[in-house]
């Protein structure tokens, strides 16, 4: 989130959890980056920088006005919002003073203060949205309490009508919040909670009606109480997820202990799976290898991770449905990992006490990582074997539920033994399906799939037995229309849950079958041709360190493409056929596409797409080099020509380095990750020097060292003031104006390029 050249501490001190805040801040960061890049001009009081400073100040004033309106309408955040708006206003004025040349050296600190204060206002505004959702949730909770306490149908109808209205509003707000969340696990949790609420509403209606019709029926009351309990749990989960976006929510974590999720517990979310424990173990072994040993603390951590891994594998080995061959192989590999880690610890202790060669450590680390890889394959194979049977299991379970409903309605209690036998078979099928879901969660390769598997297992465990309970109610009251309707609804829920489990199994089977998955953008290496190899490689996940490294490089390149855009926008006098502008814009577009790849977005889906894009990028840079080399012949000798040539002479070197990196053959995940990282780094270096070359070209043309029409094909006296255009979401900001009155317009904040109307601020806030 931090702009290039800006200290990122103040921005990163906030945990920005929503896309709306991110989208609002990113354009602002782009503009602030341009200001920071021109802080030398600010110190000299450049006219263009002065205009953008005035525009920023005016945009912040409009932004603050919206924030103050929110403060007036929401007393609970009024004090904090007023203070935040005051800070934002002061920061905007500080930027204006710096751009006027009064304090050019303070550009970075002023920009940092502006980003921090604007972020604070946005978070407070988001807090208002969150509290609206929590109020809607509390309203539904009160309606549930009232529904649970009704004693006749008239009260029930009124209470259910009120409950329905509250559920509609809660569904709308949770859908909006889910779409706005950045964290995939949180999004999946909200989706799971919304599914429970949506599907449970009809069961709440029928089970409550049955309970009112047959108040003495224990099975009817069990049905109803189970639905109430699940709906409250779903609302508790929604409460926790949305509270997670509020500043200071940690202070109240004791209120949400069942759903608490500190950083340590968040790490345990994945470690709670066998695959997560294996990856954690592999990471610790790689750390020991990199550090040349493991101290006492790291040795204890290795032992703890091994214990967790062995515990997770028990779900595979203790399952009655795991084949004997898979069980024996998993047990043998678990013993092998324990042996390899024991050897690693012994080598680490020996190195710590006596010193010596690192060859023994390398051998021990290699043995441990090899055993971990084999165990991972064995676990995936065992889970896949059971997942293949899930579709037929689901069909059998649906048929059993239909038979159960038919017997319960036709024979009543006269054939209770037959009813009991079918119920026992249904419970056996349910246990098998739950076991499969548990194993699927262990091999799930993304947080979204882990959440889906976890809640599929929970919902089956809770609602599965209720089908039998509803059938017993109907068997006890075979002529009851309410009991019959209730059983039908629970059978429908059973079918939904089975479909969810079958869909999850199919998705994980596809993912572990080495087929390309367009959603697995952050998996490297990806299916397809990688480098000069032609054999498709298995799609695997990066660990957190690798993902962070790629994301950081991508963000730096994105900032450079933004700076390139700002430079090309200065050439306002150039027509659309100007080669320098056209080539520079093409390169900026390619760099942005590569940045999107690092986020799992955009049109580049595989590593081969990335490498091909890098080749085109290098070719385009070479063409631009030749064009600017011709341009340089027109520049008179002097300091600025020397600067231009210094930057320009670096381009061929960077082009060659990028081309060599792209053509380097790779095999395996580690090599492909290294190649991707190197390609992005080389592209970033090339983009940086190209940006400097384009900037110097513009300076040459703009300062009259050569006739401007020779430089850009069309005479213009524009000094580039319009390139500084602040337009971040929620702020109706303006760049500098045009013509003879542009200075006055900039000072007043109303440039010709401003977005029309001020209502956009209200909408975004």
């Amino acid at each position: 989130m931090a702009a290039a050249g800006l200290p990122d501490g103040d921005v990163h001190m906030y945990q920005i959890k929503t896309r709306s805040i991110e989208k609002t801040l990113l354009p602002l960061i782009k503009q602030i980056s341009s200001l920071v890049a021109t802080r030398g001009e600010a110190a000299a009081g450049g006219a263009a920088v002065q205009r953008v400073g005035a525009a920023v100040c005016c945009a912040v004033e409009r932004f603050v006005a919206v924030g103050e309106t929110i403060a007036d309408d929401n007393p609970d955040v009024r004090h904090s919002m007023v203070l935040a708006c005051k800070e934002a206003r002061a920061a905007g004025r500080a930027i204006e003073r710096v751009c006027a040349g009064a304090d050019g050296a303070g550009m970075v600190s002023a920009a940092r203060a502006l980003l921090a204060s604007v972020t604070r206002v946005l978070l407070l505004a988001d807090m208002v949205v969150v509290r609206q959702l929590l109020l809607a949730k509390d309203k539904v909770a009160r309606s549930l309490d009232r529904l649970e306490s009704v004693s006749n149908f008239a009260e029930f109808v009124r209470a259910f009508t009120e409950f329905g209205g509250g559920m509609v509003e809660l569904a709308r707000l949770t859908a909006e919040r889910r779409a706005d969340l950045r964290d995939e696990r949180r999004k999946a949790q909200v989706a799971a909670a919304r599914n429970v609420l949506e599907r449970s509403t009809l069961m709440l209606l029928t089970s409550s009606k049955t309970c009112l019709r047959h108040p003495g029926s224990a099975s009817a009351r069990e049905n109803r109480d189970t639905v109430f309990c699940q709906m409250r749990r779903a609302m508790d989960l929604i409460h926790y997820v949305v509270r997670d976006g509020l500043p200071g929510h940690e202070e109240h974590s004791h209120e949400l202990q069942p759903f608490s999720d500190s950083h340590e517990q968040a790490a345990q979310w994945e470690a709670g799976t066998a695959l997560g424990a294996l990856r954690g173990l592999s990471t610790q072994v790689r750390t020991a290898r990199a550090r040349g040993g493991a101290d006492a603390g790291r040795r204890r951590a290795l032992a703890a991770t091994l214990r967790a891994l062995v515990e997770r594998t028990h779900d595979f080995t203790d399952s009655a449905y795991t084949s004997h061959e898979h069980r024996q192989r998993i047990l043998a590999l678990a013993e092998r990992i324990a042996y390899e880690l024991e050897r690693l610890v012994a080598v680490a202790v020996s190195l710590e006490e006596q010193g010596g060669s690192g060859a023994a450590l390398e051998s021990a680390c290699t043995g441990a990582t090899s055993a971990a890889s084999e165990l991972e394959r064995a676990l995936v194979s065992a889970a896949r074997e059971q997942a293949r049977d899930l579709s037929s299991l689901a069909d059998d379970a649906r048929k059993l539920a239909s038979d159960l409903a038919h017997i319960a309605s036709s024979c009543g209690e006269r054939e209770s033994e037959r009813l009991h036998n079918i119920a026992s078979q249904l419970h056996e099928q349910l246990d098998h399906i739950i076991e499969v879901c548990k194993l699927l969660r262990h091999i799930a390769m993304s947080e979204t799939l882990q959440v889906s598997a976890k809640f599929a297992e929970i919902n089956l465990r809770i609602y599965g037995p209720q089908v039998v309970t509803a059938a017993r109610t109907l068997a006890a009251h075979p002529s009851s229309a309410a009991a019959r309707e209730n059983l039908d609804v629970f059978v429908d829920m059973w079918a939904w849950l089975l479909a969810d489990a079958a869909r999850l199994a199919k998705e994980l089977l596809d993912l572990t079958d080495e087929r390309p998955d367009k959603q697995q953008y952050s998996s490297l290496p990806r299916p397809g041709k990688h480098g000069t190899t032609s054999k498709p490689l298995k799609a695997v996940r990066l660990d957190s360190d690798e993902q962070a490294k790629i994301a950081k490089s991508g963000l730096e390149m994105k900032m450079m493409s933004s700076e390139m855009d700002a430079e090309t926008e200065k050439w306002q006098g150039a027509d659309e056929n100007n080669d320098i502008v056209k080539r520079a814009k093409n390169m900026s577009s390619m760099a942005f596409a590569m940045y999107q790849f690092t986020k799992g977005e955009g049109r580049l889906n595989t590593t081969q797409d990335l490498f091909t894009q890098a080749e085109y990028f290098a070719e385009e840079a070479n063409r631009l080099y030749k064009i600017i080399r011709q341009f340089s012949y027109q520049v008179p000798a002097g300091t600025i020509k020397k600067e231009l040539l210094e930057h320009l002479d670096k381009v061929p070197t960077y082009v060659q380095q990028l081309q060599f990196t792209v053509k380097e053959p790779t095999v395996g995940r580690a090599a492909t990750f290294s190649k991707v990282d190197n390609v992005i780094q080389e592209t970033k270096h090339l983009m940086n020097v190209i940006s400097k070359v384009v900037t110097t070209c513009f300076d040459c043309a703009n300062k009259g060292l050569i006739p401007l029409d020779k430089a850009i094909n069309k005479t213009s006296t524009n000094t580039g003031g319009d390139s500084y255009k602040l337009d971040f979401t929620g702020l109706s900001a303006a760049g500098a104006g045009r013509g003879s009155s542009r200075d006055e317009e900039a000072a007043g904040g109303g440039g010709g390029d401003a977005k029309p109307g001020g209502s956009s601020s209200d909408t975004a806030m």
Side-chain angles (χ1 to χ4, degrees), residues 341-357:
L341 288 180
E342 184 179 352
R343 183 162 71 100
L344 173 59
V345 168
V347 171
V349 171
S350 175
L351 288 173
E352 185 176 352
E353 294 177 351
Q354 304 173 10
S357 171

Side-chain angles (χ1 to χ4, degrees), residues 333-400:
L333 287 171
E335 290 179 2
R336 180 185 164 192
I337 285 183
Y339 166 74
E340 295 291 353
L341 288 180
E342 184 179 352
R343 183 162 71 100
L344 173 59
V345 168
V347 171
V349 171
S350 175
L351 288 173
E352 185 176 352
E353 294 177 351
Q354 304 173 10
S357 171
L361 178 67
E362 178 68 23
S363 174
C365 290
T366 300
T369 53
S370 174
S373 297
E374 288 189 39
L375 179 56
E376 179 176 334
R377 288 192 292 271
L379 295 177
V380 169
S381 178
R384 281 176 56 83
E385 182 182 57
Q386 294 196 35
R388 292 190 191 98
D389 300 332
L390 192 56
S391 180
S392 59
L393 282 173
D395 290 340
D396 292 343
R398 275 190 289 268
K399 185 176 183 302
L400 283 173

Side-chain angles (χ1 to χ4, degrees), residues 231-268:
M231 294 188 77
R232 288 191 173 104
R233 287 175 176 170
M235 287 192 294
D236 285 343
L237 180 58
I238 289 173
H239 182 102
Y240 171 66
V241 171
V242 299
R243 279 290 297 273
D244 187 45
L246 288 177
H249 75 280
E250 295 86 354
E251 300 171 6
H252 307 284
S253 60
H254 62 279
E255 302 171 8
L256 304 165
Q257 192 63 34
F259 299 98
S260 62
D261 195 18
S262 64
H263 292 298
E264 181 180 353
Q265 289 167 323
Q268 290 173 353

Side-chain angles (χ1 to χ4, degrees), residues 545-559:
D545 292 338
E546 292 169 336
Q547 289 177 346
K549 186 176 182 182
I550 287 288
K552 181 177 182 294
S553 299
L555 184 57
E556 290 171 353
M557 188 162 61
K558 193 261 183 186
M559 291 304 173

